[in-house]
Amino acid sequence: MRRFADKRWNGIFIILIVFLFLLPYVYESRNLLILLTQVFVFSVFAMSYDLLIGFTGIVSFGHAMYFGIGAYSFGIFMKRFEPEMVYFLWAVLTTVILTAAVSFLVGLLTLRLKSHFYAMLTLSLSGLFIVLAEKWRSLTFGNDGFTFRVPELFIDRTNFYLLCLILMAVVFFALKRFTNSPLGRVLQAIRENEQRTESLGFHVLHYKITASVVSGILAGIAGILYAISLRYVNTSVFSMDITLDALLMTIIGGVGTLIGAIIGAGIIEFSHHWLTGLAKEHWIFERWIIFFGIIYILVVMFFPQGIVGTLKKITWKRKKSLAVKKEQKAAS
């Protein structure tokens, strides 16, 4: 039954990808293209966070550090070299290696801690990177940030839109395969009962670090895409708001569902765009963050397990009740 539900969600996702792929060729709107690109970028970031909180049970308040490292390392590389595809690929490779190394070291140093102790330590480490980006002005230009150039292929908004869409789809199916693998099952077992998993002979710390490295690399890739979209980087990429956005996207969409992270990213980005647009038309919407909070509260009230999680639960209950009715009819 669960496999059937997953196949159905996968089918819906594939149809949506095909529709979004064809959208730029049938509907020309630069603003919509930019907005959807942001949704794709933060979908990758939210899925990387969902791997931690949804499948491994790790709550991190410093996930923005990997996002920021990805944006800064890519931006610095491209600023110092010519905007050619060779250097672009080297920048991506360097960023992936750097985020993998940092996430490995951070995981090794922090994942021995439990629950809120780990969360607060990751928040402190994220703050350390903010200070580093502010003070190392010769490299990062401080709070002012810096601009850089990218290959001509990605200057065109349609090309970059398609790149982000394809990467989002690849990350979704790759994580789907990863979480359904034996390694992914162990991560879910750690989420449910870490002590019991360890008693079965699994070295829990190794599995947690693996999840941290995969999640960090994907967050770094999201940072690369974000930097390319703006062609500008400053210290805001390390801010707590970035991590909170990922947390909200995951919770709204449904923790431990992956596709919920994509839905959550769409809701957050479209709500932000819509409310900030209304702020230009009427003074009451100038405090748009209040209305944003109301939307979040309503979603949590009506979808306590996230949108996807709640829909799956309702579907499961209906199928269960139908199965019970069939059994009662067969018995009578």
Side-chain angles (χ1 to χ4, degrees):
M1 187 178 293
R2 184 178 177 182
R3 286 183 178 179
F4 176 76
D6 287 340
K7 285 181 179 179
R8 185 174 61 181
W9 281 107
N10 290 345
I12 293 171
F13 182 72
I14 291 170
I15 293 170
L16 179 63
I17 291 297
V18 173
F19 170 76
L20 290 171
F21 191 87
L22 297 174
L23 184 63
Y25 303 105
V26 296
Y27 181 74
E28 293 182 5
S29 174
R30 186 173 181 273
N31 290 334
L32 180 61
L33 214 62
I34 293 171
L35 181 58
L36 285 173
T37 302
Q38 288 293 101
V39 171
F40 302 154
V41 171
F42 280 98
S43 293
V44 174
F45 185 55
M47 283 190 285
S48 74
Y49 192 73
D50 195 22
L51 178 63
L52 284 183
I53 190 173
F55 290 93
T56 318
I58 300 173
V59 180
S60 171
F61 288 158
H63 204 56
M65 78 175 95
Y66 307 123
F67 185 86
I69 289 170
Y72 262 104
S73 58
F74 177 82
I76 291 168
F77 199 103
M78 293 306 297
K79 185 174 180 62
R80 299 200 169 200
F81 294 95
E82 293 298 318
E84 299 175 1
M85 281 302 298
V86 175
Y87 295 118
F88 175 86
L89 294 174
W90 271 112
V92 172
L93 181 61
T94 303
T95 302
V96 168
I97 293 171
L98 185 60
T99 49
V102 172
S103 57
F104 175 79
L105 289 173
V106 170
L108 194 64
L109 295 171
T110 61
L111 283 169
R112 299 177 190 276
L113 300 175
K114 309 294 182 183
S115 61
H116 58 280
F117 297 106
Y118 169 80
M120 297 311 295
L121 185 55
T122 54
L123 178 61
S124 301
L125 289 172
S126 181
L128 179 65
F129 277 98
I130 293 176
V131 174
L132 185 65
E134 288 175 349
K135 300 301 181 183
W136 198 352
R137 296 188 63 87
S138 61
L139 184 68
T140 65
F141 298 89
N143 289 325
D144 297 330
F146 60 91
T147 58
F148 57 89
R149 295 179 297 168
V150 296
E152 291 184 7
L153 179 66
F154 303 117
I155 294 175
D156 183 77
R157 285 290 173 183
T158 302
N159 291 337
F160 184 61
Y161 166 92
L162 295 175
L163 171 69
C164 293
L165 175 62
I166 292 168
L167 271 176
M168 182 190 71
V170 169
V171 169
F172 173 78
F173 286 112
L175 283 180
K176 201 76 174 174
R177 181 70 186 91
F178 180 80
T179 54
N180 288 327
S181 68
L183 193 153
R185 297 298 184 189
V186 174
L187 294 179
Q188 293 172 60
I190 293 170
R191 177 195 64 194
E192 297 300 325
N193 194 321
E194 184 174 333
Q195 292 179 342
R196 183 175 293 178
T197 306
E198 195 165 12
S199 69
L200 292 172
F202 295 102
H203 202 306
V204 169
L205 181 62
H206 291 174
Y207 286 94
K208 282 185 172 182
I209 291 173
T210 301
S212 175
V213 171
V214 174
S215 178
I217 290 171
L218 293 178
I221 290 171
I224 291 172
L225 295 176
Y226 183 75
I228 296 173
S229 68
L230 300 178
R231 295 194 284 280
Y232 168 77
V233 181
N234 69 350
T235 54
S236 64
V237 293
F238 284 116
S239 68
M240 181 64 181
D241 292 344
I242 299 291
T243 300
L244 288 178
D245 282 344
L247 180 61
L248 291 177
M249 290 169 186
T250 307
I251 292 174
I252 288 174
V255 176
T257 60
L258 290 180
I259 197 169
I262 298 172
I263 293 172
I267 291 173
I268 294 291
E269 290 299 315
F270 273 94
S271 297
H272 181 269
H273 177 76
W274 177 56
L275 290 171
T276 50
L278 288 175
K280 299 176 183 177
E281 298 179 6
H282 201 282
W283 64 269
I284 198 170
F285 291 104
E286 289 179 2
R287 300 292 182 267
W288 61 267
I289 193 68
I290 298 173
F291 296 95
F292 188 77
I294 292 170
I295 292 172
Y296 174 68
I297 292 168
L298 290 173
V299 171
V300 172
M301 284 176 61
F302 291 103
F303 300 94
Q305 295 180 320
I307 294 173
V308 176
T310 303
L311 291 175
K312 281 185 175 181
K313 187 177 180 180
I314 292 170
T315 305
W316 181 78
K317 283 184 176 180
R318 284 180 179 176
K319 288 181 178 179
K320 188 177 179 181
S321 63
L322 287 172
V324 170
K325 286 179 181 178
K326 286 181 180 180
E327 288 179 1
Q328 288 176 350
K329 286 182 180 179
S332 62

